[in-house]
């Protein structure tokens, strides 16, 4: 099929590959020749030249896509209702909320007295972002004294935070101390006098926990705990009842927690909740009758336990039905709010204190594939249990369940403006067979009038036990309005069907993730949903492995692909422990330095290593120069090598100066970038008219 993208780009000459410089890599997978090793250096003139050439090439593509992208962006803006406010959440004597004002990029945070009274400004992100091309609020913490404030900000996308400690009075934050660098975890003691925070090491791993006395010089901060094992990340928190501050060390399959007095955390050394046991992964909280924790041992499914004291044995709280998978829980004033999965969908239930498991109440029973998730109470004294429901075609809605009356009330719903009639869209879940007979869940959304079979965009991830649950997107409506069906392939390696689903798609079994995606694509064709000549695939970060490997194996099956900040040079990265995150990632991908099986398997599916001659579909790649999770050089090398082995390849890369792994923080920039991607996909899936 000749497409609109073919017509738009027919006179754009393919950009040539940069000059290769063969570099020999030796390992358990044998000898490999990397022609673009030098692109790892941002200071190499050849790297700078490729970035400049890539920008010129992408600018030419963007110019051709501009009419469609501009229309899509205008449609997105017309459907975003402004101003908009979040549902207020109680904490202490205040309710906290945020508000988006028209034409501003960031929210403004407020609080209002529970007892009634005027609203008070807490923090205006727009003011804090002034002068920064990139700004991410990574945490806003207000102490129990309701005046001490800790603000975590990232102003370059590097994910190294600056903590600003101050005092909030009458809507004004008086800044006192600044701490840099810090990680994402930070928590205040009950008396608001001590701040615990994590500090990254040279590989950007949160490797130590420090204590800062409010009002003191940060250079006098005290080391509380250090984690020498590079497999583990540290984090800090506080139990729901405010009895303990916590420190958590967690790898991909093992965790350990320590407890500190929440009022005076430096009074005694951190007390381990339990000795570290390889293969024991858990999360805990403390409530009126002791500790509750969800625990997995040796990659088994999570189970719920309680104990009055860490020194006492755990007692299992047996409440799951057959086939139900435990995801998490929340301690509330009147009982446990419980998050589980049923047939790949998230659901929420409630168990009153002291009640038998048979009295657990299901709070939502979705009739279509949707997501029901706990959104959390900040205050144990709050009577409400709040949860959110959302699907691919239904906006997010927040509900309040009152255990005392057993009633559920809608509190807030995302508004959609413009000419949208949500009844014009539909969603459903398919179960499509993989080549080993296992059924893979696939969630689809389409406009009811869309052709079948017709064009389809398939999104896949499949890593880290992360579930790609259905959520609503105003921008995605533009895709559906163009007659394109959107599908999420819930491939193995993700968490949609529990730990066993995750385990089936990691380490030496990673190829299973890629095969699942190809089988889903075949299934969509067999079901009469997808036109085999009009299928695009999209993946981000670790999803870049899934999409990139699928492209290498069957490039002829796709009309286009989008790889956003993609992890594509995995064998090389996993063989270099000096890079950020590599050691911690070995439990996900395997260690090719120590295992022949891992090295040989990874060599078979690594997208960069398996690029080959032949016709690939048009590909759009993105990267950010400040990305610390997937180095900019991985996507850059991928594009360079694809052009080297296929001089006629139509592949473009958007290189962003001011962004990290998570993309733009300004919402108008995010709309602009997404509109470009959607214009690219639509053009690649639409037949040419001339």
């Amino acid at each position: 099929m000749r497409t609109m993208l073919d017509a738009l780009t027919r006179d754009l000459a393919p950009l040539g590959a940069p000059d290769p410089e063969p570099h020999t890599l030796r390992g358990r997978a044998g000898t490999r020749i990397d022609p673009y090793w030098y692109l790892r250096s941002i200071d190499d003139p050849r790297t700078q030249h490729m970035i400049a050439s890539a920008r010129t090439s992408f600018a030419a593509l963007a110019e051709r896509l501009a009419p469609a992208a501009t229309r899509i962006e205008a449609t997105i803006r017309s459907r975003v209702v402004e101003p908009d406010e979040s549902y207020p959440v109680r904490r202490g004597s205040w309710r906290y909320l945020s508000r988006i004002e028209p034409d501003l990029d960031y929210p403004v945070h407020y609080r209002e007295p529970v007892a009634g009274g005027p609203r008070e400004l807490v923090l205006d992100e727009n003011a804090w972002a002034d002068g920064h091309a990139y700004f991410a609020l990574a945490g806003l913490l207000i102490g129990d004294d309701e005046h001490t404030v800790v603000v975590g900000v990232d102003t370059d996308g590097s994910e190294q935070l600056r903590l600003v400690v101050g005092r909030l009075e009458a809507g004004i934050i008086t800044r006192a101390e600044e701490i840099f660098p810090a990680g994402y975890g930070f928590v205040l003691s009950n008396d608001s006098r001590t701040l615990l925070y994590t500090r990254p090491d040279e590989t950007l791993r949160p490797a130590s926990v420090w204590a800062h006395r409010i009002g003191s010089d940060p250079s006098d901060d005290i080391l509380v705990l250090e984690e020498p094992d590079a497999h583990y990340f540290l984090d800090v928190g506080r139990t729901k009842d405010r009895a303990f501050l916590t420190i958590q060390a967690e790898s991909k399959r093992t965790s350990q927690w320590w407890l500190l007095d929440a009022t005076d955390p430096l009074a005694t050394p951190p007390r381990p909740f339990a000795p570290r046991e390889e293969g024991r992964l858990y999360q805990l909280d403390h409530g009126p009758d002791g500790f509750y924790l969800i625990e997995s041992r040796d990659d088994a499914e999570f189970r719920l336990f309680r104990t009055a004291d860490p020194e006492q044995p755990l007692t299992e709280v047996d409440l799951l039905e057959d086939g139900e998978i435990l995801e998490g829980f929340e301690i509330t004033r009147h009982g446990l709010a419980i998050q589980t999965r049923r047939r790949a969908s998230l659901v929420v239930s409630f168990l009153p204190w002291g009640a038998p498991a048979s009295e657990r109440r299901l709070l939502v029973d979705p009739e279509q594939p949707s997501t029901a998730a706990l959104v959390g109470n900040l205050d144990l004294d709050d009577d409400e249990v709040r949860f959110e429901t959302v699907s691919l075609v239904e906006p997010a809605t927040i509900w309040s369940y009152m255990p005392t009356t057993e009633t559920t009330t809608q509190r807030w719903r995302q508004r959609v403006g413009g000419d949208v009639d949500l009844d014009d869209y539909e969603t459903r879940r398919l179960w499509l067979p993989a080549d080993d007979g296992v059924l893979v869940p696939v969630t689809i959304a389409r406009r009811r009038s869309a052709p079948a079979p017709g064009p389809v965009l398939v999104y896949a991830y499949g890593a880290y036990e992360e579930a790609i649950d259905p959520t609503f997107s105003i921008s995605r409506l533009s895709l559906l309005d163009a007659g394109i069906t959107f599908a999420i392939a819930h491939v193995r390696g993700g968490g949609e069907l529990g730990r066993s689903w995750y385990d089936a798609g990691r380490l030496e079994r990673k190829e299973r993730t890629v095969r699942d995606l190809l089988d889903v694509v075949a299934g969509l064709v067999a079901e009469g949903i997808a036109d085999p000549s009009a299928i695009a695939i999209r993946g981000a970060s670790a999803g870049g492995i899934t999409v990139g490997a699928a492209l290498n194996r069957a490039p002829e099956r796709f009309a286009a692909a989008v790889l956003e900040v993609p992890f594509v040079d995995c064998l090389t990265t996993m063989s270099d422990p000096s890079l950020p995150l590599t050691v911690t990632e070995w439990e996900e991908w395997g260690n090719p330095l120590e295992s022949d099986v891992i090295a040989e398997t990874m060599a078979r599916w690594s997208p960069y290593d398996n690029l080959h001659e032949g016709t690939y579909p048009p590909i759009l790649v993105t990267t950010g120069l400040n990305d610390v999770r997937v180095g900019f050089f991985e996507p850059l090398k991928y594009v360079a090598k694809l052009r080297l082995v296929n001089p006629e390849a139509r592949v473009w890369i958007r290189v962003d100066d001011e962004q990290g792994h998570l993309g733009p923080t300004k919402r108008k920039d995010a709309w602009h970038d997404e509109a470009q991607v959607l214009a690219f996909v639509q053009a690649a899936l639409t037949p040419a008219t001339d």
Side-chain angles (χ1 to χ4, degrees):
M1 177 181 75
R2 187 168 177 273
T3 69
M4 287 294 297
L5 186 64
D6 295 331
L8 289 171
T9 61
R10 60 190 169 192
D11 61 338
L12 294 181
L15 187 65
D19 292 336
E21 182 180 274
H23 178 83
T24 301
L25 297 169
R26 294 181 176 86
R28 291 178 178 270
T31 299
R32 295 180 295 134
I33 303 298
D34 186 347
Y36 293 112
W37 176 265
Y38 67 81
L39 290 177
R40 292 161 60 99
S41 172
I42 190 69
D43 297 322
D44 192 305
R46 294 169 295 180
T47 303
Q48 290 296 322
H49 183 264
M50 180 178 175
I51 291 174
S53 299
R55 286 179 169 150
T56 299
S57 175
F58 178 76
L61 172 68
E63 182 180 4
R64 303 300 171 87
L65 296 174
T70 300
R71 287 194 300 271
I72 293 170
E73 186 175 351
T75 300
I76 294 171
R77 291 189 180 211
S78 72
R79 291 171 171 175
V80 174
V81 179
E82 300 171 317
D84 196 17
E85 287 188 357
S86 67
Y87 177 64
V89 178
R90 176 184 170 182
R91 187 175 183 277
S93 60
W94 297 85
R95 292 189 181 94
Y96 292 83
L97 69 153
S98 60
R99 178 181 172 92
I100 293 286
E101 300 289 353
D103 298 322
L104 294 182
D105 280 308
Y106 301 99
V108 182
H109 302 271
Y110 297 94
R111 65 182 181 179
E112 50 195 27
V114 172
R119 179 174 292 183
E120 178 179 287
L121 174 68
V122 174
L123 183 146
D124 182 351
E125 290 190 38
N126 300 280
W128 283 60
D130 188 38
H132 299 288
Y134 181 99
F135 175 84
L137 181 67
L140 172 59
L141 180 62
I142 298 179
D144 289 354
D145 64 358
E146 301 186 329
H147 295 290
T148 300
V149 179
V150 184
V151 183
V153 297
D154 177 2
T155 56
D156 61 8
S158 69
E159 301 185 45
Q160 295 191 77
L161 306 187
R162 183 176 303 279
L163 302 185
V164 179
V165 182
R167 185 170 178 82
L168 173 64
E169 295 280 4
I172 298 174
I173 295 178
T174 303
R175 304 186 187 192
E177 303 109 53
E178 292 195 6
I179 299 170
F180 180 85
Y184 274 94
F186 50 97
V187 65
L188 281 166
S189 60
N190 291 353
D191 62 5
S192 303
R193 297 176 61 185
T194 304
L195 171 70
L196 289 190
Y197 65 96
T198 61
R199 187 178 291 180
D201 64 11
E202 64 277 1
T203 67
L204 304 184
R205 176 180 68 95
S208 56
V209 172
W210 293 74
H212 171 74
R213 292 293 195 184
I214 304 300
S216 69
D217 189 328
S219 65
D220 295 329
D221 289 355
I222 300 167
L223 176 65
V224 178
L225 188 143
E226 191 166 21
E227 176 54 62
D229 190 333
H231 291 86
Y232 291 84
F233 278 33
L234 292 179
D235 199 1
V236 294
R238 184 169 68 163
T239 59
K240 189 64 174 289
D241 64 353
R242 305 179 186 177
F244 302 99
L245 298 189
T246 62
I247 299 175
Q248 308 102 52
E250 188 167 298
S251 72
K252 302 301 180 185
R253 60 188 306 270
T254 304
S255 56
Q256 183 178 11
W257 287 57
W258 291 264
L259 306 174
L260 304 96
D261 181 87
T263 299
D264 189 0
L266 298 182
T268 59
R271 176 166 63 108
F273 176 81
R276 185 174 302 183
E277 298 178 42
E278 183 69 24
R280 185 191 186 194
L281 190 66
Y282 63 95
Q283 295 282 326
L284 65 77
D285 204 348
H286 191 263
D289 62 344
F291 292 93
Y292 283 82
L293 63 156
I294 60 170
E295 176 185 284
S296 167
R297 287 181 181 267
D298 299 323
D299 302 320
E301 300 298 345
F302 283 100
R303 296 185 294 164
L304 181 64
F305 296 89
R306 71 164 299 274
T307 182
D309 185 89
E311 302 299 324
Q312 298 181 9
L314 299 179
T315 301
E316 183 168 5
V317 183
D318 188 6
L319 48 72
L320 300 180
E321 298 179 3
D322 289 345
E324 192 174 18
I325 297 168
L326 181 62
E327 283 263 327
F329 68 93
E330 181 187 352
I331 291 175
T332 77
R333 180 179 182 182
H334 298 285
L336 283 178
I338 301 160
Q339 186 86 63
T340 59
R341 285 190 183 274
R342 299 185 178 189
R343 294 279 292 171
S345 290
L346 277 178
V347 297
V348 173
S349 58
F350 185 79
L351 181 65
W353 294 123
S358 59
E359 293 188 17
R360 181 166 61 115
R361 301 158 192 166
L362 189 64
L363 301 189
V364 59
D365 187 9
E367 297 179 357
Q368 61 183 9
S370 61
T371 302
L374 292 166
V375 294
N377 290 19
L378 298 178
D379 198 318
L380 188 60
D381 293 331
D382 199 338
D383 283 325
E384 291 182 303
V385 176
R386 281 183 292 275
F387 62 94
E388 178 186 87
T389 59
V390 65
S391 81
L392 291 179
V393 300
E394 288 291 334
T397 304
I398 292 179
W399 305 85
S400 170
Y401 173 72
M402 299 295 290
T404 53
T405 59
E406 299 184 21
T407 57
T408 301
T409 305
Q410 180 179 316
R411 297 297 189 186
W412 178 90
R413 181 176 172 86
Q414 179 186 1
R415 295 179 293 167
V416 182
D419 56 353
V420 174
D421 183 348
L422 293 175
D423 288 337
D424 291 340
Y425 309 94
E426 63 179 356
T427 184
R428 60 191 174 108
R429 177 158 292 151
L430 310 172
W431 294 82
L432 301 179
D435 59 12
D436 61 355
V438 172
L439 297 178
V440 179
V442 181
T443 308
I444 68 169
R446 63 192 298 272
R447 196 173 177 90
R448 295 184 190 276
S449 60
V456 175
L457 172 63
V458 182
Y459 185 88
Y461 188 72
Y464 301 115
E465 204 176 353
E466 290 290 331
I468 307 300
D469 292 307
T471 57
F472 184 77
S473 165
I474 285 177
S475 60
R476 192 190 300 124
L477 295 179
S478 296
L479 186 81
L480 306 185
D481 290 342
I484 298 172
T485 294
F486 176 72
I488 303 173
H490 303 287
V491 293
R492 277 171 276 189
E496 290 86 347
L497 290 169
R499 303 225 81 203
S500 60
W501 194 253
Y502 164 56
D503 194 53
R506 70 183 184 112
L507 299 174
E508 69 273 9
R509 298 171 293 280
K510 189 63 207 172
E511 288 178 283
R512 181 71 264 170
T513 304
V514 182
R515 289 157 63 186
D516 277 359
L517 174 57
L518 293 172
D519 291 339
V520 163
V521 169
L524 290 170
V525 173
E527 291 287 325
I529 295 170
D531 176 346
S533 67
I535 300 172
I537 49 176
R538 183 176 185 178
S541 192
I545 285 179
T546 308
V547 169
L551 283 172
N552 286 338
R553 298 199 176 186
E556 73 285 349
R557 297 175 64 177
F558 304 105
V562 178
L563 289 83
E564 298 166 285
V565 291
F567 184 29
V568 283
D569 191 18
C570 37
L571 179 53
T572 303
T573 293
M574 287 297 100
S575 299
D576 186 353
S578 70
L579 291 174
L581 309 181
T582 290
V583 175
T584 62
E585 298 287 297
W586 281 340
E587 291 184 341
E588 174 72 26
W589 310 104
N591 182 353
L593 299 177
E594 294 185 355
S595 168
D596 290 340
V597 172
I598 290 295
E600 292 164 3
T601 302
M602 197 177 289
R604 289 198 302 270
W605 55 253
S606 170
Y608 179 73
D609 290 288
N610 288 282
L611 289 168
H612 55 78
E613 295 180 2
T615 303
Y616 279 74
I619 300 173
L620 177 60
V621 182
T622 71
T623 189
L625 295 184
N626 291 334
D627 194 336
V628 297
R629 301 195 193 189
V630 177
F632 71 90
F633 46 85
E634 289 204 29
L636 213 61
K637 288 172 62 179
Y638 176 85
V639 170
K641 186 176 179 181
L642 182 55
R643 287 172 174 165
L644 180 67
V645 298
N646 289 288
E648 299 301 314
R650 291 182 296 164
V651 55
W652 296 269
I653 182 168
R654 184 174 68 201
V655 181
D656 295 304
D657 277 334
E658 304 292 342
Q659 294 177 21
H661 192 67
L662 303 179
T665 56
K666 295 179 179 179
R667 59 186 186 132
K668 290 191 286 290
D669 289 348
W671 295 338
H672 175 79
D673 286 2
E674 181 64 7
Q676 283 185 331
V677 171
L678 294 180
F680 175 83
V681 170
Q682 289 182 23
L685 298 182
T686 303
T689 57
D690 57 3

